[in-house]
Amino acid sequence: MFRLDTKKSNVKLVVAGLLLGLFMASLDQTIVSTAMATIIKKLGGLDSFIWVYSAYMIAMVVSTPILGKLSDMYGRKRFFLLGLVLFVVGSILCGTATNMDQLIIYRAIQGVGGGALMPIVFTIIFDLFPMEKRGKMMGLFGAVFGISSVFGPILGGSISDNLSWRWIFYINVPIGVLSFLFILRAYHESKNTRKQNIDWLGAVLLTGAILCLMFGLELGGTDGWAWSSWKTVSLFVGSGVLLILFLVAEVYAKDPIVKLGLFKNRLFTSSMMTSMLYGGAMMAGATYIPIFIQGVFHKTATQTSTVLIPMMLGVVLSSQIGGRVAGKFVFRNVMILSAITLTAGLALLGFALDTSTSRGIISLYMVVVGLGMGVSFSLLNISTLNAVPPQYKGSASSLIAFFRTIGSAIGVTVFGTLQKHDFQSAIQALPNMNPQFAAQIKGGQALLDPVVQAKIGLSAEAVNLLLSKLADSIIYVFQWSVILPIIAFVFVLMMGRARLAAPMQAGQPGGPPQGEHAGKPETSMHGG
C-alpha cells in the first residue's frame, strides 16, 4: 500500500496545497449560480443552461469512485495532481467558451477533476496525521465546504458584475497552480511495487449505471421527458440492469472498483447511507431558502446571494466541533445529536415558517439547520476512513463523496417534483386560472424574474398572489424534508460504539483494543 513518507514530506505545505485544492473544487459548485444570468445573456442557450450544473455533477459522480480506487492502486499524489490539471484546464476552457454547448462540455472536464480532488483530500489527511489530530484537521477541511458555499455566490455575482463572467473560471488558475506546486514539491509517498489489476469491466458498467441514473434524474419531468415516458423509464431500467451487472462483476473481479465486502461493516454502511440522506437534506435548504426569500421579500437573485450565510456559518462551526469531538466520543452519539438538530431545523422551516416570518427568525432557523448539517462533513469522513483497512481508504473516501452527491441529485429531483406538484395544485384551484398559463409557469420560479413578470403582463396583485403560492409550496418541501434526518437517525444507531482508533494492528503494543469500542478500523471487514 502507499504510505506518506513523513521524513521527506513538508506537512504544512501539503496541508496548504490540499486546502487550496479542496476550496477550488467546492467553490466551483456555488460560484457559477449567481453569474448564470449574465452568462445566458452573453452566450444564449436559455433552454440548456441547466446542463452547466448537471454536466459538472454527472462527470464528478461518475469519476469519483473510479479515481478513488485508482488512487488506492497507484498512489494518492499522482491522481490528486491529475485532478488539479483537469480542473484547471477545464476552468481555462470554460473561460474561453463562445457558446453554451462548449461551456457544458468544458464543465464536464472540470467535473472529472473535481471527482479526483474531493475524496483524495480526506484520504491524504487521514494518512498524514496521527489519531489525536485527525478530528481537528477533518473539521478544518470539512469547514471548507461551508466557507465556499458562503463566498461562492458572493464572488460569482461580484466578479460577473465588475469584471467578466469568464473570471469566475479564470480565478481557479492561480489557486490550482499553487496547490499543484505545493503537493508536487512537498508530498512524498512510499512506493508500492505490487502488480496492479484495473477492473475495466466494473468501471464501464458503473459508469453506464451512473450515467443512466443521472440523465434520468436530470431529464425526467422536462419537456418531452415525462416521468412515465418510455425514454425516462428506460433510463432508470437501464441503470438498474447495469448496476446489477456491476455488482456481479465486482464479486469476481480481482481488484474491484468497489470492494463489496466493505458494506459488511456496519460502521461503513451506516456512514454511506447517512451521507446520502444528509446530501438530500442539504439540497432542500440550499435550493429553496433563497427562492423563498426572493419571492416573499421581493429580492433579486444577486441580492439573495448572501442569504445562505447563516446556514453556512452553522455548517462551518459544527464541522469544526464534529471534528474536534470525534476522538472523545463514539461516532454514534455525536451523529445522534446532529440528526436531532437537523430534524429540529428542518421542522422549524416546515412547520413554523410562513410568509409573515421575519428575516431574523428565518436566519435563526437556518443556523439550526447548519449546526445539524455541518457535523456530517467532518465526522462521516472520519468514521468511514476509520472503518476500512488502509488499502481501501481512497475507495472509501470516494464512496462517501459519491453517496452524498447521489443523495443531493435525488433530493433535488424529488423535492423539485413535490414543489412543482403542490404549486400547480394550488394555482389551478384559483378562480379564473388559465390552465395553459398554469402549465407554462411550471414550478413558479420564473415568476421571480421581473422581466418575466412584465412579459406575462400580470398585475402586481396577481404576481403577489402567485408568489405566495410559491412560498407555500416551498414550505411544503421543507415539511417533507424532515423525513430524511429521521431515516438517517436509524442508520446512525447502526454505528454501534465504534470510535476513532489509531491505524495500528489490533493486538500490537499501543494498538487499539479488539473489542467493540475500537470499531476494528484496520483489521476487520465486519467491525462496528
Side-chain angles (χ1 to χ4, degrees):
M1 56 171 283
F2 289 85
R3 283 288 190 184
L4 177 71
D5 190 336
T6 54
K7 293 181 180 179
K8 294 182 180 180
S9 296
N10 185 320
V11 174
K12 291 183 179 179
L13 285 181
V14 173
V15 170
L18 295 176
L19 281 171
L20 287 170
L22 182 62
F23 178 73
M24 179 182 68
S26 57
L27 179 71
D28 215 70
Q29 296 185 46
T30 58
I31 196 172
V32 177
S33 57
T34 48
M36 185 51 64
T38 303
I39 293 173
I40 293 172
K41 289 179 183 177
K42 300 294 183 180
L43 300 184
L46 178 62
D47 58 337
S48 59
F49 80 92
I50 191 64
W51 286 99
V52 175
Y53 305 104
S54 302
Y56 183 92
M57 178 178 285
I58 291 172
M60 187 174 71
V61 172
V62 168
S63 61
T64 292
I66 296 172
L67 293 174
K69 174 60 180 178
L70 291 175
S71 76
D72 280 334
M73 298 171 65
Y74 297 106
R76 323 280 188 221
K77 180 176 180 177
R78 66 179 65 186
F79 282 96
F80 186 81
L81 294 178
L82 174 63
L84 285 172
V85 170
L86 288 173
F87 201 95
V88 171
V89 169
S91 298
I92 294 171
L93 291 172
C94 285
T96 63
T98 58
N99 58 61
M100 193 62 74
D101 291 338
Q102 288 181 0
L103 184 59
I104 291 169
I105 293 170
Y106 300 153
R107 283 282 285 171
I109 297 174
Q110 273 190 308
V112 175
L117 295 178
M118 289 195 177
I120 296 176
V121 162
F122 290 100
T123 309
I124 293 176
I125 287 299
F126 215 80
D127 291 339
L128 190 62
F129 290 94
M131 177 190 67
E132 63 272 13
K133 293 184 178 180
R134 288 175 184 168
K136 179 180 178 181
M137 295 308 300
M138 286 290 191
L140 173 64
F141 277 76
V144 170
F145 289 102
I147 294 171
S148 64
S149 297
V150 170
F151 287 105
I154 298 173
L155 283 174
S158 178
I159 290 173
S160 59
D161 289 343
N162 298 296
L163 292 174
S164 165
W165 66 267
R166 300 182 186 277
W167 279 97
I168 68 172
F169 298 109
Y170 291 149
I171 195 176
N172 293 326
V173 177
I175 300 175
V177 169
L178 273 179
S179 178
F180 186 95
L181 292 175
F182 287 164
I183 299 300
L184 180 67
R185 297 295 299 274
Y187 182 50
H188 301 281
E189 290 176 307
S190 59
K191 301 297 182 182
N192 183 357
T193 58
R194 180 174 68 90
K195 183 179 179 181
Q196 308 287 358
N197 296 281
I198 299 177
D199 178 18
W200 292 110
L201 177 60
V204 171
L205 292 172
L206 179 61
T207 299
I210 296 172
L211 284 174
C212 286
L213 173 63
M214 295 299 289
F215 277 116
L217 291 173
E218 293 293 336
L219 293 171
T222 61
D223 293 337
W225 290 81
W227 290 112
S228 58
S229 70
W230 69 267
K231 292 186 292 185
T232 305
V233 172
S234 64
L235 284 173
F236 289 122
V237 171
S239 177
V241 171
L242 289 171
L243 178 61
I244 293 172
L245 293 175
F246 167 73
L247 295 175
V248 173
E250 296 306 273
V251 171
Y252 297 100
K254 189 172 184 180
D255 281 309
I257 294 291
V258 176
K259 180 71 174 177
L260 299 182
L262 294 174
F263 288 93
K264 295 179 181 179
N265 185 310
R266 283 189 302 153
L267 177 59
F268 178 86
T269 301
S270 58
S271 297
M272 294 297 115
M273 296 299 101
T274 304
S275 178
M276 182 172 69
L277 291 163
Y278 268 56
M282 182 77 173
M283 293 311 297
T287 302
Y288 290 104
I289 288 175
I291 296 174
F292 181 88
I293 290 179
Q294 227 183 311
V296 171
F297 295 96
H298 303 286
K299 302 293 185 181
T300 66
T302 302
Q303 290 172 331
T304 56
S305 63
T306 60
V307 76
L308 291 176
I309 286 180
M311 187 172 80
M312 294 312 167
L313 289 177
V315 168
V316 172
L317 177 61
S318 65
S319 178
Q320 287 282 301
I321 294 173
R324 289 177 181 272
V325 303
K328 300 177 182 180
F329 303 96
V330 297
F331 301 133
R332 181 188 63 190
N333 292 351
V334 180
M335 286 304 301
I336 283 175
L337 182 60
S338 167
I340 291 173
T341 305
L342 181 58
T343 302
L346 292 174
L348 287 171
L349 290 174
F351 299 97
L353 182 68
D354 58 42
T355 55
S356 65
T357 307
S358 68
R359 281 290 299 273
I361 296 298
I362 296 174
S363 295
L364 179 62
Y365 295 166
M366 291 164 63
V367 170
V368 177
V369 172
L371 289 173
M373 182 65 61
V375 174
S376 68
F377 287 116
S378 54
L379 195 134
L380 290 180
N381 279 292
I382 296 172
S383 64
T384 297
L385 292 171
N386 202 65
V388 301
Q391 65 269 30
Y392 298 117
K393 290 194 182 299
S395 180
S397 184
S398 69
L399 285 172
I400 199 78
F402 172 80
F403 276 97
R404 182 180 288 116
T405 307
I406 287 291
S408 298
I410 295 175
V412 167
T413 301
V414 172
F415 291 139
T417 301
L418 288 171
Q419 185 270 324
K420 179 182 175 181
H421 179 269
D422 187 74
F423 178 73
Q424 284 288 312
S425 298
I427 64 172
Q428 287 179 11
L430 294 173
N432 302 319
M433 173 56 64
N434 186 331
Q436 291 184 338
F437 172 74
Q440 182 182 357
I441 59 176
K442 300 178 181 178
Q445 286 92 330
L447 294 170
L448 299 172
D449 189 342
V451 175
V452 174
Q453 294 176 13
K455 185 177 180 180
I456 293 175
L458 295 174
S459 66
E461 182 181 359
V463 169
N464 289 334
L465 177 61
L466 291 174
L467 288 179
S468 71
K469 298 301 181 183
L470 173 62
D472 290 341
S473 70
I474 292 172
I475 293 173
Y476 180 72
V477 167
F478 291 142
Q479 292 171 354
W480 276 99
S481 70
V482 175
I483 294 175
L484 296 180
I486 292 175
I487 298 174
F489 188 86
V490 176
F491 287 105
V492 167
L493 293 177
M494 291 172 54
M495 287 183 164
R497 298 194 58 79
R499 65 190 307 160
L500 188 62
M504 305 174 69
Q505 295 296 326
Q508 284 185 343
Q514 299 189 45
E516 184 183 4
H517 292 269
K520 303 179 184 179
E522 305 291 344
T523 59
S524 172
M525 299 294 288
H526 306 278

